[in-house]
Amino acid sequence: MLYLVAFLLHCLPLAMGQYDICKSWVTTDDGPSWEFYACQPKAMRMKDYVTVRVDPAGITCGDPPERFCTHENPYLCSDECDASNPDLAHPPKLMFDSEDEGLATYWQSVTWRRYPEPLLANITLSWNKSIELTDDIVITFEYGRPTVMMLEKSLDNGRTWHPYQYYADDCMEAFSMPARRVRELSSSSANRVLCTEEYSRWAGSKKEKTVRFEVRDRFAIFAGPDLRNMGNLYTRLESAKGLRDFFTITDLRMRLLRPALGGTYVQRENLYKYFYAVSNIEVTGRCKCNLHANLCTFREGSLQCECEHNTTGQDCGKCKKSFRSRSWRAGSYLPLPNGSPNACAAAGSAFGNCECYGHSNRCSYIDFLNVVTCVSCKHNTRGQHCQHCRLGFYRNSSAELDDENVCIECNCNQIGSMHDRCNETGYCECREGATGPKCDDCLPNYYWRQGCFPNVCDDELLLCQNGGTCYQNQRCICPVGFKGVLCQQSRCEADKKDCDGAHAARGSLGTLLLTVLALQLRAWVDL
Ligand SMILES: *[C@@H]1O[C@H](CO)[C@@H](O)[C@H](O)[C@H]1NC(C)=O
Ligand SMILES: *[C@@H]1O[C@H](CO)[C@@H](O)[C@H](O)[C@H]1NC(C)=O
Ligand SMILES: *[C@@H]1O[C@H](CO)[C@@H](O)[C@H](O)[C@H]1NC(C)=O
Ligand SMILES: *[C@@H]1O[C@H](CO)[C@@H](O)[C@H](O)[C@H]1NC(C)=O
Ligand SMILES: *[C@@H]1O[C@H](CO)[C@@H](O)[C@H](O)[C@H]1NC(C)=O
Ligand SMILES: [Ca+2]
């Protein structure tokens, strides 16, 4: 009880004390046993686990050493940045140290001496782990906040990026977006990406130093202004499409696009007072463990969920081996207050010993065969244990039997192949002349035209005669006066008018008849 009180006190500010245990030992009428619950790790200061990258190269000040001024005192330029002197250097790691000594330590960029070329910098934070934000992201700028910047996020370790929020002193001018406030959002637009002017205006460098990404204000749309109704938030996170992903990140990127100006114009005669200086980046969140873990530890350079419910993986995203009798599912916040663990079940626990490799969650007993078999195998599998691939699919040899990608479509070319089945290595059975794993190529001496056909002509054996040219192995284009598949035949054998006497004399009875016929036809047309 004491523990509980202490715990509640500790967590009240965020009211996030729910879902903190994965299981408990309970006594029931059948004796003591484990009871399982949906669970998630506590929120942490994520800056302690981040790796940072600052772009472009050479954007950090001090190499070569450089003097800079401040907006307050633009003509007293006594400050110096020198990367080779630890007391005067401003490396990126100073964005993540603790600031409790009073004096701010900060990363600083070079000054805007290349004006009017833009002063651009990217600060990329990577966790190599999916994280669910639980509080605002707060970025602290010394010497003024940027007048234009953008926040981007990635959900796939930096492979793809999406805008998260735009910041400008004039959103219309900078991004062609109307300025909006998160507080104006409604429950249907809680995951909208917007442009805000709240954090970009000049307010004197001493006063307003922070730029926020407002997580709490978005939570408040569902949980009320002081986040008391977390149940409603969890219900929404469970049901509203895309809402949970909106607060999930693996990486963050700040794109600094224009520094503080300290006024309306850039003073070209004193460019040493324009630069970026970031003293702190606070990111509060929890490891995403799919509600299957309440601990997340830093091991081998990355955060890892300590998975329960017989799940495994960095995010507890799959079932442990031999606990795959049904498909993996994330735990659920619902029903309130303890949620559903949706634990992985041991093979053999459901129905005799019916393993379905996670492709079915239903078994059925077939009376007259006296067997238990999986029902409705998914992922293109079939068989008593969903252990085979459906016709038209073949086994992915690099995937385990319980992998969702275990069966790959044969993809046989419809025209080139006999049918849409393939052998164990994905080879289709080809019609005559076709070849290739999918039968979408032709053998040598065949050409493709709605299937493979033997070459009519080529440059080796089936040469076009009498100066004809071979068109795509399909036919000979004959010069005037010749015809036939290989232009081997003179037209005078068909039409007397084109012929000299010598040729006509050698004409056979057949061609003679044809000639007569043609002449008659012409006479008839002329009429
Ligand atoms: C910052 O990152 C964006 C991609 O998110 C890229 O297009 C841009 O070139 C980068 N800027 C710098 C200065 O590296
Ligand atoms: C990212 O995390 C995974 C899983 O813990 C690990 O295998 C991998 O080496 C990590 N990658 C980096 C770049 O740290
Ligand atoms: C996980 O498997 C173990 C046996 O290894 C079992 O004792 C435990 O109850 C299982 N947990 C869940 C949540 O099913
Ligand atoms: C085969 O399975 C592996 C492992 O799951 C997967 O990475 C790969 O994409 C699969 N191959 C195909 C062609 O689907
Ligand atoms: C599948 O067919 C291809 C082409 O006929 C053949 O090379 C391969 O050995 C076959 N694989 C199996 C497992 O039969
Ligand atoms: Ca600092």
Side-chain angles (χ1 to χ4, degrees):
M1 191 59 200
L2 250 179
Y3 164 80
L4 196 70
V5 170
F7 182 75
L8 279 177
L9 282 177
H10 174 72
C11 279
L12 257 183
L14 257 177
M16 291 267 189
Q18 254 172 304
Y19 309 109
D20 56 315
I21 53 170
C22 298
K23 60 182 178 205
S24 72
W25 187 243
V26 294
T27 316
T28 63
D29 293 347
D30 306 332
S33 68
W34 285 110
E35 201 166 84
F36 298 101
Y37 317 104
C39 53
Q40 59 187 4
K42 285 201 183 60
M44 311 192 280
R45 271 177 24 166
M46 286 296 167
K47 73 174 185 185
D48 297 343
Y49 310 100
V50 77
T51 50
V52 63
R53 187 191 153 93
V54 177
D55 289 304
I59 189 70
T60 300
C61 69
D63 184 18
E66 187 178 18
R67 276 186 332 130
F68 60 94
C69 326
T70 63
H71 290 294
E72 268 75 32
N73 213 337
Y75 299 103
L76 192 75
C77 303
S78 53
D79 287 327
E80 194 180 346
C81 177
D82 182 351
S84 63
N85 179 343
D87 290 336
L88 300 174
H90 292 281
K93 66 171 189 221
L94 297 182
M95 295 185 276
F96 307 99
D97 57 352
S98 36
E99 290 286 313
D100 35 34
E101 289 303 308
L103 202 62
T105 56
Y106 48 90
W107 166 80
Q108 187 177 320
S109 75
V110 296
T111 63
W112 203 359
R113 52 182 187 246
R114 294 237 179 94
Y115 177 86
E117 208 179 282
L119 181 63
L120 304 177
N122 283 355
I123 302 172
T124 307
L125 314 186
S126 305
W127 282 273
N128 188 28
K129 171 79 191 79
S130 42
I131 287 165
E132 292 166 339
L133 298 175
T134 56
D135 207 335
D136 293 4
I137 297 169
V138 185
I139 308 151
T140 309
F141 287 89
E142 305 297 322
Y143 306 106
R145 302 175 293 188
T147 45
V148 182
M149 73 170 261
M150 196 187 155
L151 193 62
E152 292 180 316
K153 74 158 192 173
S154 173
L155 250 172
D156 53 9
N157 293 319
R159 275 184 285 280
T160 58
W161 291 90
H162 311 278
Y164 216 10
Q165 191 145 300
Y166 297 85
Y167 302 85
D169 54 358
D170 185 337
C171 281
M172 224 17 155
E173 181 203 279
F175 297 113
S176 306
M177 290 170 83
R180 298 197 59 174
R181 284 162 180 259
V182 171
R183 260 161 268 142
E184 294 160 8
L185 294 175
S186 69
S187 56
S188 60
S189 60
N191 57 353
R192 177 164 303 170
V193 173
L194 47 77
C195 182
T196 173
E197 294 178 354
E198 256 183 289
Y199 308 102
S200 308
R201 266 160 295 157
W202 177 250
S205 69
K206 288 289 183 297
K207 270 195 285 174
E208 312 217 0
K209 293 177 160 188
T210 57
V211 171
R212 283 176 179 267
F213 179 77
E214 307 92 333
V215 171
R216 290 178 74 99
D217 283 346
R218 291 178 197 257
F219 283 176
I221 296 170
F222 306 107
D226 46 10
L227 304 189
R228 273 190 198 282
N229 190 357
M230 289 302 281
N232 191 37
L233 173 63
Y234 286 131
T235 305
R236 286 307 191 109
L237 287 174
E238 196 68 48
S239 57
K241 202 163 172 277
L243 192 60
R244 210 147 149 189
D245 278 353
F246 181 78
F247 297 108
T248 308
I249 59 169
T250 57
D251 303 68
L252 273 180
R253 178 176 287 158
M254 266 147 268
R255 296 180 62 182
L256 309 180
L257 301 169
R258 195 176 65 197
L261 303 184
T264 324
Y265 304 104
V266 176
Q267 289 180 310
R268 307 190 72 137
E269 68 278 9
N270 189 352
L271 295 172
Y272 297 109
K273 60 178 183 173
Y274 304 113
F275 55 87
Y276 306 106
V278 179
S279 58
N280 195 40
I281 302 177
E282 208 62 63
V283 179
T284 310
R286 64 164 56 96
C287 291
K288 173 182 168 150
C289 301
N290 287 298
L291 295 173
H292 289 312
N294 61 353
L295 286 177
C296 187
T297 53
F298 195 62
R299 273 188 281 140
E300 293 147 25
S302 292
L303 287 165
Q304 315 236 349
C305 300
E306 300 289 340
C307 302
E308 304 261 4
H309 303 158
N310 292 316
T311 61
T312 185
Q314 206 187 11
D315 303 348
C316 310
K318 55 185 184 181
C319 291
K320 269 192 192 160
K321 267 213 162 68
S322 73
F323 288 92
R324 292 165 178 168
S325 66
R326 60 168 105 101
S327 313
W328 174 89
R329 278 192 299 157
S332 169
Y333 286 122
L334 303 178
L336 299 171
N338 286 334
S340 320
N342 294 337
C344 293
S349 68
F351 242 112
N353 194 11
C354 185
E355 163 94 75
C356 300
Y357 296 104
H359 304 305
S360 162
N361 45 25
R362 216 145 52 85
C363 292
S364 165
Y365 176 67
I366 302 177
D367 211 2
F368 65 94
L369 292 174
N370 190 28
V371 294
V372 177
T373 177
C374 304
V375 178
S376 315
C377 296
K378 287 183 296 185
H379 312 134
N380 304 308
T381 61
R382 66 175 176 89
Q384 186 186 358
H385 303 290
C386 306
Q387 79 275 37
H388 298 304
C389 289
R390 271 173 46 201
L391 282 182
F393 292 81
Y394 68 104
R395 171 83 197 271
N396 179 348
S397 56
S398 58
E400 303 229 21
L401 212 44
D402 55 21
D403 196 308
E404 285 195 9
N405 299 316
V406 68
C407 294
I408 306 172
E409 197 170 358
C410 291
N411 244 329
C412 302
N413 186 290
Q414 285 196 355
I415 299 166
S417 62
M418 307 284 276
H419 42 68
D420 57 9
R421 299 192 292 277
C422 54
N423 75 7
E424 289 141 65
T425 46
Y427 278 80
C428 304
E429 208 179 319
C430 299
R431 289 180 190 278
E432 195 205 325
T435 186
K438 308 296 165 202
C439 308
D440 48 6
D441 272 336
C442 291
L443 288 169
N445 301 323
Y446 285 81
Y447 68 93
W448 181 271
R449 187 167 149 238
Q450 309 280 318
C452 294
F453 294 90
N455 285 350
V456 173
C457 54
D458 59 28
D459 298 330
E460 289 161 22
L461 296 168
L462 302 164
L463 292 170
C464 300
Q465 309 289 305
N466 298 313
T469 52
C470 182
Y471 175 74
Q472 293 183 350
N473 301 108
Q474 294 176 18
R475 61 190 171 89
C476 291
I477 299 174
C478 299
V480 182
F482 294 95
K483 57 172 224 162
V485 174
L486 293 175
C487 313
Q488 76 280 25
Q489 204 174 6
S490 166
R491 278 196 185 274
C492 57
E493 289 169 25
D495 188 337
K496 205 161 193 236
K497 265 191 144 182
D498 291 342
C499 299
D500 58 30
H503 275 109
R506 272 190 262 126
S508 68
L509 185 64
T511 43
L512 208 68
L513 275 173
L514 267 176
T515 312
V516 172
L517 215 72
L519 279 173
Q520 273 184 354
L521 204 66
R522 176 170 291 182
W524 182 73
V525 167
D526 283 347
L527 274 175

